[in-house]
Amino acid sequence: MNTTTLYNPDFNYQMYLTPGLITVGLQMALVVASVLILNLEFRRNTIDELLQISTSSSQIVVGKMLAHLCISWILFVLVAYVVFPVYELGKPKTDFNFFLIYTLMSLACIGIGMMLSAISNNLLFVTDVALFFTSPAFVFSGFTFPRWAMPWYDQFYADIMPYTHFLDGFIKLYFMELPLSYATPEIFKLLVFIGITFPLSIVFFQRKVNQYLKENRI
């Protein structure tokens, strides 16, 4: 019997750990930064200036989302074209697929953060929730331990984290260099996160805006 080890034939931890650690760090940073997007306006008393521009929560949420998405794209450029080449991990053939699934993960993470930010004005509370939610991602996502071997409740916890589905797609598209169609299930799941969190962010923040306008008679 002839066996061949694929994707990491040298059993090199640099090739194995580096992409996982970098991407899990990015998703933590995106969620933690996003939980401050909306409630910080009330904390810094800049909400009046914001509402002078628009009183529509959908416009505010979309505008802030685009700003943070642009920052996440800058991080992608640094990772894909600076960090990965330094560690000899660059795979030019996978750049577009990597960019696409990374963008979806970024939107899902920003959506979760904005939803928390729209629900609560307690900065300490939402930051703690974000850290508690994202910190176990590296373990529960299946990167270091197979999810099928975990208890059902750990598998459920893994499924409600967008990084889990990003990682499954990332392994297919980046490590295995498979066509984009192979990551269709993961792309769909990330779109579900996006489709749920952003509408909820808009609804909750619009309630805050309406209440603020009513109390201040603006």
Short mmCIF file of all heavy atoms in Angstrom, two decimals, residues 129-195:
data_model
loop_
_atom_site.label_atom_id
_atom_site.label_comp_id
_atom_site.label_asym_id
_atom_site.label_seq_id
_atom_site.Cartn_x
_atom_site.Cartn_y
_atom_site.Cartn_z
N VAL A 129 -19.16 39.59 26.47
CA VAL A 129 -19.91 38.62 25.67
C VAL A 129 -19.15 38.28 24.39
O VAL A 129 -19.04 37.12 24.00
CB VAL A 129 -21.32 39.15 25.33
CG1 VAL A 129 -22.01 38.24 24.32
CG2 VAL A 129 -22.16 39.26 26.59
N ALA A 130 -18.60 39.30 23.74
CA ALA A 130 -17.85 39.09 22.50
C ALA A 130 -16.62 38.22 22.74
O ALA A 130 -16.32 37.31 21.97
CB ALA A 130 -17.45 40.43 21.89
N LEU A 131 -15.90 38.50 23.82
CA LEU A 131 -14.71 37.71 24.14
C LEU A 131 -15.08 36.28 24.51
O LEU A 131 -14.41 35.33 24.10
CB LEU A 131 -13.93 38.37 25.28
CG LEU A 131 -13.22 39.69 24.94
CD1 LEU A 131 -12.64 40.31 26.19
CD2 LEU A 131 -12.11 39.44 23.91
N PHE A 132 -16.15 36.14 25.29
CA PHE A 132 -16.59 34.80 25.68
C PHE A 132 -17.04 34.00 24.46
O PHE A 132 -16.84 32.79 24.39
CB PHE A 132 -17.74 34.91 26.69
CG PHE A 132 -18.30 33.59 27.11
CD1 PHE A 132 -17.66 32.82 28.08
CD2 PHE A 132 -19.47 33.10 26.55
CE1 PHE A 132 -18.16 31.58 28.46
CE2 PHE A 132 -19.99 31.88 26.93
CZ PHE A 132 -19.34 31.12 27.89
N PHE A 133 -17.66 34.69 23.52
CA PHE A 133 -18.19 34.03 22.32
C PHE A 133 -17.09 33.62 21.35
O PHE A 133 -17.15 32.56 20.73
CB PHE A 133 -19.19 34.97 21.63
CG PHE A 133 -19.78 34.41 20.36
CD1 PHE A 133 -20.70 33.37 20.41
CD2 PHE A 133 -19.43 34.93 19.12
CE1 PHE A 133 -21.25 32.86 19.25
CE2 PHE A 133 -19.98 34.44 17.96
CZ PHE A 133 -20.90 33.39 18.03
N THR A 134 -16.07 34.47 21.21
CA THR A 134 -15.07 34.23 20.17
C THR A 134 -13.82 33.50 20.66
O THR A 134 -13.14 32.85 19.86
CB THR A 134 -14.62 35.57 19.56
OG1 THR A 134 -14.10 36.42 20.60
CG2 THR A 134 -15.79 36.27 18.89
N SER A 135 -13.50 33.61 21.94
CA SER A 135 -12.24 33.03 22.44
C SER A 135 -12.10 31.53 22.18
O SER A 135 -11.02 31.07 21.81
CB SER A 135 -12.08 33.33 23.93
OG SER A 135 -11.95 34.72 24.16
N PRO A 136 -13.15 30.71 22.38
CA PRO A 136 -12.98 29.26 22.17
C PRO A 136 -13.01 28.83 20.71
O PRO A 136 -12.99 27.63 20.43
CB PRO A 136 -14.18 28.66 22.93
CG PRO A 136 -14.82 29.77 23.67
CD PRO A 136 -14.47 31.02 22.93
N ALA A 137 -13.07 29.78 19.79
CA ALA A 137 -13.27 29.43 18.38
C ALA A 137 -12.18 28.51 17.85
O ALA A 137 -12.45 27.60 17.06
CB ALA A 137 -13.33 30.70 17.53
N PHE A 138 -10.94 28.73 18.28
CA PHE A 138 -9.83 27.95 17.73
C PHE A 138 -9.97 26.48 18.08
O PHE A 138 -9.61 25.60 17.29
CB PHE A 138 -8.50 28.49 18.28
CG PHE A 138 -7.29 27.93 17.59
CD1 PHE A 138 -7.04 28.24 16.27
CD2 PHE A 138 -6.41 27.09 18.25
CE1 PHE A 138 -5.92 27.72 15.62
CE2 PHE A 138 -5.29 26.58 17.62
CZ PHE A 138 -5.05 26.89 16.29
N VAL A 139 -10.52 26.18 19.27
CA VAL A 139 -10.68 24.79 19.70
C VAL A 139 -11.97 24.20 19.18
O VAL A 139 -11.99 23.11 18.60
CB VAL A 139 -10.64 24.70 21.24
CG1 VAL A 139 -10.90 23.26 21.70
CG2 VAL A 139 -9.29 25.18 21.77
N PHE A 140 -13.08 24.93 19.36
CA PHE A 140 -14.39 24.38 19.01
C PHE A 140 -14.64 24.34 17.50
O PHE A 140 -15.54 23.64 17.05
CB PHE A 140 -15.49 25.20 19.68
CG PHE A 140 -15.63 24.92 21.15
CD1 PHE A 140 -14.91 25.65 22.08
CD2 PHE A 140 -16.48 23.92 21.61
CE1 PHE A 140 -15.04 25.40 23.43
CE2 PHE A 140 -16.60 23.66 22.96
CZ PHE A 140 -15.88 24.40 23.88
N SER A 141 -13.88 25.09 16.73
CA SER A 141 -14.09 25.11 15.28
C SER A 141 -13.68 23.82 14.60
O SER A 141 -14.02 23.59 13.45
CB SER A 141 -13.31 26.28 14.66
OG SER A 141 -11.91 26.09 14.86
N GLY A 142 -12.91 22.98 15.30
CA GLY A 142 -12.45 21.74 14.70
C GLY A 142 -11.04 21.81 14.16
O GLY A 142 -10.54 20.85 13.58
N PHE A 143 -10.38 22.94 14.35
CA PHE A 143 -9.03 23.10 13.81
C PHE A 143 -8.02 22.25 14.58
O PHE A 143 -7.08 21.71 13.99
CB PHE A 143 -8.61 24.57 13.87
CG PHE A 143 -7.38 24.87 13.07
CD1 PHE A 143 -7.47 25.06 11.70
CD2 PHE A 143 -6.14 24.98 13.67
CE1 PHE A 143 -6.33 25.33 10.95
CE2 PHE A 143 -5.00 25.24 12.92
CZ PHE A 143 -5.10 25.42 11.56
N THR A 144 -8.21 22.13 15.89
CA THR A 144 -7.27 21.36 16.70
C THR A 144 -7.84 20.03 17.17
O THR A 144 -7.09 19.16 17.62
CB THR A 144 -6.86 22.16 17.95
OG1 THR A 144 -8.04 22.49 18.71
CG2 THR A 144 -6.16 23.44 17.56
N PHE A 145 -9.16 19.87 17.07
CA PHE A 145 -9.79 18.63 17.54
C PHE A 145 -11.05 18.41 16.70
O PHE A 145 -11.82 19.35 16.48
CB PHE A 145 -10.16 18.74 19.02
CG PHE A 145 -10.56 17.44 19.65
CD1 PHE A 145 -9.59 16.54 20.06
CD2 PHE A 145 -11.90 17.13 19.85
CE1 PHE A 145 -9.96 15.33 20.65
CE2 PHE A 145 -12.26 15.94 20.43
CZ PHE A 145 -11.30 15.04 20.83
N PRO A 146 -11.27 17.21 16.19
CA PRO A 146 -12.42 16.97 15.29
C PRO A 146 -13.76 17.21 15.99
O PRO A 146 -13.97 16.74 17.10
CB PRO A 146 -12.26 15.50 14.87
CG PRO A 146 -11.39 14.90 15.93
CD PRO A 146 -10.48 15.98 16.40
N ARG A 147 -14.65 17.93 15.31
CA ARG A 147 -15.94 18.25 15.92
C ARG A 147 -16.81 17.01 16.13
O ARG A 147 -17.59 16.95 17.07
CB ARG A 147 -16.68 19.28 15.06
CG ARG A 147 -16.06 20.64 15.08
CD ARG A 147 -17.04 21.71 14.62
NE ARG A 147 -17.60 21.44 13.31
CZ ARG A 147 -17.03 21.80 12.17
NH1 ARG A 147 -15.87 22.44 12.18
NH2 ARG A 147 -17.60 21.52 11.02
N TRP A 148 -16.67 16.04 15.23
CA TRP A 148 -17.51 14.86 15.36
C TRP A 148 -17.21 14.08 16.64
O TRP A 148 -18.03 13.29 17.10
CB TRP A 148 -17.35 13.95 14.14
CG TRP A 148 -15.93 13.49 13.88
CD1 TRP A 148 -15.04 14.03 12.99
CD2 TRP A 148 -15.24 12.40 14.51
NE1 TRP A 148 -13.84 13.36 13.04
CE2 TRP A 148 -13.94 12.35 13.95
CE3 TRP A 148 -15.60 11.46 15.48
CZ2 TRP A 148 -13.00 11.39 14.34
CZ3 TRP A 148 -14.65 10.51 15.86
CH2 TRP A 148 -13.38 10.49 15.30
N ALA A 149 -16.03 14.31 17.22
CA ALA A 149 -15.66 13.62 18.46
C ALA A 149 -16.07 14.42 19.70
O ALA A 149 -15.83 13.97 20.82
CB ALA A 149 -14.17 13.35 18.49
N MET A 150 -16.66 15.58 19.51
CA MET A 150 -17.08 16.41 20.63
C MET A 150 -18.50 16.04 21.07
O MET A 150 -19.28 15.51 20.27
CB MET A 150 -17.06 17.90 20.24
CG MET A 150 -15.71 18.44 19.86
SD MET A 150 -15.82 20.20 19.39
CE MET A 150 -14.13 20.52 18.91
N PRO A 151 -18.88 16.32 22.31
CA PRO A 151 -20.28 16.16 22.74
C PRO A 151 -21.19 17.03 21.90
O PRO A 151 -20.77 18.04 21.34
CB PRO A 151 -20.26 16.61 24.20
CG PRO A 151 -18.83 16.51 24.62
CD PRO A 151 -18.01 16.78 23.41
N TRP A 152 -22.46 16.67 21.84
CA TRP A 152 -23.41 17.38 20.98
C TRP A 152 -23.51 18.86 21.32
O TRP A 152 -23.66 19.69 20.42
CB TRP A 152 -24.79 16.72 21.05
CG TRP A 152 -25.47 16.88 22.39
CD1 TRP A 152 -25.43 16.03 23.44
CD2 TRP A 152 -26.27 18.00 22.80
NE1 TRP A 152 -26.16 16.52 24.50
CE2 TRP A 152 -26.70 17.73 24.14
CE3 TRP A 152 -26.68 19.19 22.20
CZ2 TRP A 152 -27.49 18.60 24.86
CZ3 TRP A 152 -27.48 20.07 22.91
CH2 TRP A 152 -27.88 19.77 24.23
N TYR A 153 -23.41 19.19 22.61
CA TYR A 153 -23.55 20.60 23.00
C TYR A 153 -22.33 21.41 22.55
O TYR A 153 -22.44 22.60 22.26
CB TYR A 153 -23.77 20.74 24.51
CG TYR A 153 -22.90 19.88 25.38
CD1 TYR A 153 -21.62 20.30 25.76
CD2 TYR A 153 -23.34 18.64 25.83
CE1 TYR A 153 -20.81 19.52 26.56
CE2 TYR A 153 -22.54 17.84 26.64
CZ TYR A 153 -21.28 18.28 27.01
OH TYR A 153 -20.47 17.50 27.80
N ASP A 154 -21.16 20.77 22.51
CA ASP A 154 -19.99 21.47 21.98
C ASP A 154 -20.11 21.65 20.47
O ASP A 154 -19.69 22.68 19.92
CB ASP A 154 -18.72 20.68 22.30
CG ASP A 154 -18.34 20.78 23.78
OD1 ASP A 154 -18.82 21.72 24.43
OD2 ASP A 154 -17.58 19.93 24.26
N GLN A 155 -20.66 20.66 19.80
CA GLN A 155 -20.88 20.79 18.36
C GLN A 155 -21.89 21.90 18.06
O GLN A 155 -21.73 22.65 17.09
CB GLN A 155 -21.37 19.47 17.79
CG GLN A 155 -20.35 18.34 17.88
CD GLN A 155 -20.83 17.07 17.22
OE1 GLN A 155 -21.44 17.09 16.15
NE2 GLN A 155 -20.55 15.92 17.84
N PHE A 156 -22.92 21.99 18.90
CA PHE A 156 -23.91 23.07 18.72
C PHE A 156 -23.25 24.43 18.92
O PHE A 156 -23.49 25.37 18.15
CB PHE A 156 -25.05 22.89 19.72
CG PHE A 156 -26.03 24.03 19.72
CD1 PHE A 156 -26.98 24.14 18.72
CD2 PHE A 156 -25.98 25.00 20.72
CE1 PHE A 156 -27.88 25.21 18.72
CE2 PHE A 156 -26.88 26.06 20.72
CZ PHE A 156 -27.83 26.16 19.71
N TYR A 157 -22.41 24.55 19.95
CA TYR A 157 -21.71 25.81 20.20
C TYR A 157 -20.82 26.17 19.01
O TYR A 157 -20.72 27.34 18.63
CB TYR A 157 -20.87 25.69 21.48
CG TYR A 157 -20.19 26.97 21.89
CD1 TYR A 157 -20.91 27.99 22.50
CD2 TYR A 157 -18.83 27.16 21.65
CE1 TYR A 157 -20.29 29.17 22.88
CE2 TYR A 157 -18.21 28.35 22.03
CZ TYR A 157 -18.95 29.34 22.64
OH TYR A 157 -18.34 30.51 23.00
N ALA A 158 -20.18 25.16 18.44
CA ALA A 158 -19.32 25.41 17.28
C ALA A 158 -20.13 25.91 16.09
O ALA A 158 -19.68 26.78 15.34
CB ALA A 158 -18.57 24.13 16.90
N ASP A 159 -21.35 25.38 15.92
CA ASP A 159 -22.17 25.74 14.77
C ASP A 159 -22.68 27.17 14.83
O ASP A 159 -23.03 27.75 13.79
CB ASP A 159 -23.35 24.79 14.63
CG ASP A 159 -22.93 23.43 14.08
OD1 ASP A 159 -21.90 23.37 13.39
OD2 ASP A 159 -23.64 22.43 14.35
N ILE A 160 -22.77 27.75 16.03
CA ILE A 160 -23.28 29.12 16.12
C ILE A 160 -22.15 30.14 16.06
O ILE A 160 -22.38 31.33 16.28
CB ILE A 160 -24.11 29.32 17.41
CG1 ILE A 160 -23.24 29.11 18.66
CG2 ILE A 160 -25.32 28.41 17.43
CD1 ILE A 160 -23.97 29.44 19.96
N MET A 161 -20.95 29.69 15.76
CA MET A 161 -19.82 30.60 15.55
C MET A 161 -19.51 30.66 14.05
O MET A 161 -19.29 29.62 13.42
CB MET A 161 -18.57 30.13 16.31
CG MET A 161 -18.67 30.23 17.81
SD MET A 161 -17.08 29.89 18.63
CE MET A 161 -16.86 28.17 18.17
N PRO A 162 -19.49 31.85 13.46
CA PRO A 162 -19.20 31.94 12.02
C PRO A 162 -17.81 31.42 11.66
O PRO A 162 -17.60 30.95 10.54
CB PRO A 162 -19.34 33.44 11.73
CG PRO A 162 -19.20 34.11 13.04
CD PRO A 162 -19.75 33.16 14.06
N TYR A 163 -16.87 31.49 12.60
CA TYR A 163 -15.51 31.05 12.28
C TYR A 163 -15.48 29.57 11.94
O TYR A 163 -14.66 29.14 11.12
CB TYR A 163 -14.56 31.33 13.45
CG TYR A 163 -13.14 30.93 13.15
CD1 TYR A 163 -12.35 31.70 12.30
CD2 TYR A 163 -12.59 29.76 13.67
CE1 TYR A 163 -11.06 31.32 11.98
CE2 TYR A 163 -11.29 29.38 13.37
CZ TYR A 163 -10.54 30.16 12.53
OH TYR A 163 -9.25 29.78 12.22
N THR A 164 -16.35 28.77 12.55
CA THR A 164 -16.38 27.34 12.28
C THR A 164 -16.64 27.08 10.80
O THR A 164 -15.96 26.28 10.16
CB THR A 164 -17.48 26.66 13.12
OG1 THR A 164 -17.21 26.88 14.50
CG2 THR A 164 -17.53 25.16 12.84
N HIS A 165 -17.61 27.77 10.26
CA HIS A 165 -17.97 27.56 8.86
C HIS A 165 -16.96 28.20 7.91
O HIS A 165 -16.70 27.67 6.83
CB HIS A 165 -19.38 28.11 8.62
CG HIS A 165 -20.36 27.63 9.64
ND1 HIS A 165 -20.73 26.31 9.75
CD2 HIS A 165 -21.01 28.29 10.64
CE1 HIS A 165 -21.59 26.17 10.75
NE2 HIS A 165 -21.77 27.35 11.31
N PHE A 166 -16.39 29.32 8.36
CA PHE A 166 -15.30 29.89 7.57
C PHE A 166 -14.14 28.92 7.48
O PHE A 166 -13.55 28.72 6.41
CB PHE A 166 -14.82 31.20 8.20
CG PHE A 166 -13.46 31.63 7.74
CD1 PHE A 166 -13.29 32.24 6.51
CD2 PHE A 166 -12.34 31.38 8.52
CE1 PHE A 166 -12.01 32.62 6.07
CE2 PHE A 166 -11.07 31.76 8.09
CZ PHE A 166 -10.91 32.38 6.86
N LEU A 167 -13.80 28.30 8.61
CA LEU A 167 -12.65 27.40 8.64
C LEU A 167 -12.87 26.20 7.72
O LEU A 167 -11.95 25.79 6.99
CB LEU A 167 -12.38 26.93 10.06
CG LEU A 167 -11.18 25.99 10.24
CD1 LEU A 167 -9.89 26.73 9.89
CD2 LEU A 167 -11.11 25.47 11.67
N ASP A 168 -14.08 25.63 7.74
CA ASP A 168 -14.37 24.50 6.85
C ASP A 168 -14.17 24.91 5.39
O ASP A 168 -13.58 24.17 4.60
CB ASP A 168 -15.80 24.02 7.07
CG ASP A 168 -15.98 23.31 8.40
OD1 ASP A 168 -14.96 22.94 9.02
OD2 ASP A 168 -17.13 23.13 8.83
N GLY A 169 -14.69 26.09 5.05
CA GLY A 169 -14.51 26.57 3.67
C GLY A 169 -13.07 26.93 3.37
O GLY A 169 -12.57 26.69 2.26
N PHE A 170 -12.38 27.51 4.35
CA PHE A 170 -10.99 27.91 4.17
C PHE A 170 -10.10 26.69 3.91
O PHE A 170 -9.21 26.73 3.04
CB PHE A 170 -10.52 28.64 5.42
CG PHE A 170 -9.09 29.08 5.39
CD1 PHE A 170 -8.66 30.03 4.49
CD2 PHE A 170 -8.16 28.52 6.26
CE1 PHE A 170 -7.33 30.44 4.46
CE2 PHE A 170 -6.84 28.92 6.25
CZ PHE A 170 -6.42 29.88 5.34
N ILE A 171 -10.34 25.61 4.62
CA ILE A 171 -9.55 24.38 4.41
C ILE A 171 -9.77 23.86 3.00
O ILE A 171 -8.82 23.43 2.32
CB ILE A 171 -9.92 23.33 5.46
CG1 ILE A 171 -9.40 23.76 6.84
CG2 ILE A 171 -9.34 21.96 5.09
CD1 ILE A 171 -9.83 22.86 7.97
N LYS A 172 -11.02 23.88 2.55
CA LYS A 172 -11.32 23.39 1.20
C LYS A 172 -10.69 24.28 0.13
O LYS A 172 -10.08 23.79 -0.83
CB LYS A 172 -12.83 23.32 0.99
CG LYS A 172 -13.55 22.30 1.84
CD LYS A 172 -15.05 22.37 1.62
CE LYS A 172 -15.80 21.38 2.48
NZ LYS A 172 -17.27 21.46 2.27
N LEU A 173 -10.87 25.59 0.29
CA LEU A 173 -10.47 26.52 -0.78
C LEU A 173 -8.99 26.86 -0.74
O LEU A 173 -8.39 27.11 -1.79
CB LEU A 173 -11.30 27.80 -0.68
CG LEU A 173 -12.81 27.63 -0.81
CD1 LEU A 173 -13.51 28.96 -0.60
CD2 LEU A 173 -13.19 27.03 -2.14
N TYR A 174 -8.42 26.90 0.47
CA TYR A 174 -7.02 27.33 0.59
C TYR A 174 -6.06 26.14 0.66
O TYR A 174 -5.16 26.01 -0.17
CB TYR A 174 -6.86 28.21 1.83
CG TYR A 174 -5.45 28.74 1.99
CD1 TYR A 174 -5.03 29.85 1.26
CD2 TYR A 174 -4.55 28.15 2.87
CE1 TYR A 174 -3.74 30.34 1.39
CE2 TYR A 174 -3.26 28.64 3.02
CZ TYR A 174 -2.87 29.73 2.29
OH TYR A 174 -1.60 30.20 2.41
N PHE A 175 -6.26 25.26 1.63
CA PHE A 175 -5.36 24.13 1.78
C PHE A 175 -5.52 23.12 0.65
O PHE A 175 -4.54 22.64 0.08
CB PHE A 175 -5.58 23.44 3.13
CG PHE A 175 -5.00 24.18 4.30
CD1 PHE A 175 -5.81 24.89 5.16
CD2 PHE A 175 -3.64 24.19 4.53
CE1 PHE A 175 -5.28 25.59 6.23
CE2 PHE A 175 -3.09 24.87 5.60
CZ PHE A 175 -3.91 25.57 6.44
N MET A 176 -6.78 22.75 0.35
CA MET A 176 -7.02 21.73 -0.68
C MET A 176 -7.06 22.32 -2.09
O MET A 176 -7.01 21.56 -3.05
CB MET A 176 -8.35 21.02 -0.39
CG MET A 176 -8.38 20.30 0.93
SD MET A 176 -9.97 19.43 1.16
CE MET A 176 -9.71 18.71 2.80
N GLU A 177 -7.20 23.66 -2.18
CA GLU A 177 -7.25 24.35 -3.48
C GLU A 177 -8.38 23.81 -4.35
O GLU A 177 -8.22 23.62 -5.55
CB GLU A 177 -5.91 24.26 -4.19
CG GLU A 177 -4.75 24.88 -3.41
CD GLU A 177 -3.45 24.89 -4.18
OE1 GLU A 177 -3.49 25.12 -5.41
OE2 GLU A 177 -2.39 24.65 -3.58
N LEU A 178 -9.54 23.60 -3.75
CA LEU A 178 -10.70 23.10 -4.48
C LEU A 178 -11.46 24.27 -5.10
O LEU A 178 -11.34 25.41 -4.68
CB LEU A 178 -11.63 22.33 -3.53
CG LEU A 178 -11.05 21.05 -2.92
CD1 LEU A 178 -12.02 20.48 -1.90
CD2 LEU A 178 -10.73 20.03 -3.99
N PRO A 179 -12.29 23.99 -6.11
CA PRO A 179 -13.12 25.05 -6.70
C PRO A 179 -14.10 25.62 -5.68
O PRO A 179 -14.44 24.98 -4.68
CB PRO A 179 -13.87 24.33 -7.83
CG PRO A 179 -13.02 23.14 -8.15
CD PRO A 179 -12.39 22.72 -6.85
N LEU A 180 -14.58 26.82 -5.96
CA LEU A 180 -15.46 27.52 -5.02
C LEU A 180 -16.74 26.75 -4.73
O LEU A 180 -17.30 26.84 -3.64
CB LEU A 180 -15.80 28.90 -5.59
CG LEU A 180 -16.54 29.87 -4.66
CD1 LEU A 180 -15.70 30.20 -3.44
CD2 LEU A 180 -16.90 31.14 -5.43
N SER A 181 -17.21 25.97 -5.69
CA SER A 181 -18.47 25.25 -5.53
C SER A 181 -18.42 24.26 -4.36
O SER A 181 -19.45 23.94 -3.78
CB SER A 181 -18.82 24.50 -6.82
OG SER A 181 -17.78 23.60 -7.17
N TYR A 182 -17.23 23.79 -4.01
CA TYR A 182 -17.11 22.83 -2.91
C TYR A 182 -17.42 23.48 -1.55
O TYR A 182 -17.70 22.78 -0.58
CB TYR A 182 -15.72 22.22 -2.88
CG TYR A 182 -15.50 21.14 -3.91
CD1 TYR A 182 -15.22 21.46 -5.23
CD2 TYR A 182 -15.59 19.80 -3.57
CE1 TYR A 182 -15.04 20.48 -6.19
CE2 TYR A 182 -15.40 18.80 -4.51
CZ TYR A 182 -15.12 19.15 -5.83
OH TYR A 182 -14.95 18.16 -6.77
N ALA A 183 -17.33 24.79 -1.50
CA ALA A 183 -17.57 25.51 -0.24
C ALA A 183 -18.98 26.10 -0.19
O ALA A 183 -19.25 26.95 0.67
CB ALA A 183 -16.54 26.61 -0.06
N THR A 184 -19.86 25.64 -1.06
CA THR A 184 -21.23 26.17 -1.09
C THR A 184 -21.95 26.05 0.26
O THR A 184 -22.60 27.01 0.70
CB THR A 184 -22.05 25.48 -2.19
OG1 THR A 184 -21.42 25.71 -3.46
CG2 THR A 184 -23.47 26.03 -2.24
N PRO A 185 -21.87 24.90 0.96
CA PRO A 185 -22.56 24.82 2.27
C PRO A 185 -22.04 25.84 3.27
O PRO A 185 -22.84 26.46 4.00
CB PRO A 185 -22.25 23.39 2.73
CG PRO A 185 -21.95 22.63 1.48
CD PRO A 185 -21.27 23.62 0.59
N GLU A 186 -20.74 26.05 3.30
CA GLU A 186 -20.17 27.01 4.24
C GLU A 186 -20.56 28.45 3.86
O GLU A 186 -20.85 29.27 4.75
CB GLU A 186 -18.66 26.88 4.28
CG GLU A 186 -18.15 25.61 4.94
CD GLU A 186 -18.31 24.37 4.07
OE1 GLU A 186 -18.35 24.52 2.84
OE2 GLU A 186 -18.40 23.26 4.63
N ILE A 187 -20.57 28.74 2.57
CA ILE A 187 -20.98 30.07 2.12
C ILE A 187 -22.43 30.34 2.50
O ILE A 187 -22.77 31.43 2.97
CB ILE A 187 -20.77 30.19 0.59
CG1 ILE A 187 -19.28 30.19 0.26
CG2 ILE A 187 -21.45 31.44 0.05
CD1 ILE A 187 -18.98 30.17 -1.22
N PHE A 188 -23.28 29.35 2.32
CA PHE A 188 -24.70 29.50 2.68
C PHE A 188 -24.86 29.77 4.17
O PHE A 188 -25.64 30.64 4.58
CB PHE A 188 -25.47 28.25 2.28
CG PHE A 188 -26.90 28.26 2.72
CD1 PHE A 188 -27.85 29.01 2.04
CD2 PHE A 188 -27.31 27.53 3.83
CE1 PHE A 188 -29.17 29.05 2.46
CE2 PHE A 188 -28.62 27.54 4.25
CZ PHE A 188 -29.56 28.30 3.56
N LYS A 189 -24.13 29.04 5.01
CA LYS A 189 -24.24 29.22 6.46
C LYS A 189 -23.76 30.61 6.89
O LYS A 189 -24.36 31.23 7.77
CB LYS A 189 -23.45 28.13 7.18
CG LYS A 189 -24.05 26.74 7.03
CD LYS A 189 -23.17 25.67 7.62
CE LYS A 189 -23.76 24.28 7.40
NZ LYS A 189 -22.87 23.20 7.91
N LEU A 190 -22.70 31.10 6.27
CA LEU A 190 -22.23 32.45 6.58
C LEU A 190 -23.26 33.50 6.14
O LEU A 190 -23.46 34.51 6.83
CB LEU A 190 -20.88 32.70 5.92
CG LEU A 190 -19.69 31.92 6.49
CD1 LEU A 190 -18.45 32.11 5.64
CD2 LEU A 190 -19.40 32.37 7.94
N LEU A 191 -23.91 33.25 5.02
CA LEU A 191 -24.95 34.17 4.55
C LEU A 191 -26.13 34.19 5.52
O LEU A 191 -26.79 35.22 5.68
CB LEU A 191 -25.42 33.77 3.15
CG LEU A 191 -24.42 34.05 2.01
CD1 LEU A 191 -24.93 33.46 0.70
CD2 LEU A 191 -24.20 35.55 1.85
N VAL A 192 -26.42 33.05 6.14
CA VAL A 192 -27.49 33.00 7.15
C VAL A 192 -27.14 33.90 8.33
O VAL A 192 -27.99 34.65 8.83
CB VAL A 192 -27.73 31.55 7.62
CG1 VAL A 192 -28.65 31.53 8.84
CG2 VAL A 192 -28.32 30.71 6.49
N PHE A 193 -25.88 33.83 8.79
CA PHE A 193 -25.44 34.72 9.87
C PHE A 193 -25.66 36.19 9.47
O PHE A 193 -26.17 36.98 10.26
CB PHE A 193 -23.96 34.50 10.18
CG PHE A 193 -23.70 33.36 11.11
CD1 PHE A 193 -23.37 32.11 10.63
CD2 PHE A 193 -23.77 33.54 12.49
CE1 PHE A 193 -23.12 31.05 11.47
CE2 PHE A 193 -23.51 32.48 13.35
CZ PHE A 193 -23.19 31.24 12.85
N ILE A 194 -25.25 36.52 8.26
CA ILE A 194 -25.38 37.90 7.78
C ILE A 194 -26.84 38.30 7.68
O ILE A 194 -27.24 39.40 8.08
CB ILE A 194 -24.67 38.05 6.42
CG1 ILE A 194 -23.17 37.78 6.56
CG2 ILE A 194 -24.91 39.44 5.84
CD1 ILE A 194 -22.44 37.64 5.24
N GLY A 195 -27.66 37.39 7.15
CA GLY A 195 -29.08 37.68 6.95
C GLY A 195 -29.86 37.81 8.24
O GLY A 195 -30.95 38.40 8.24
#
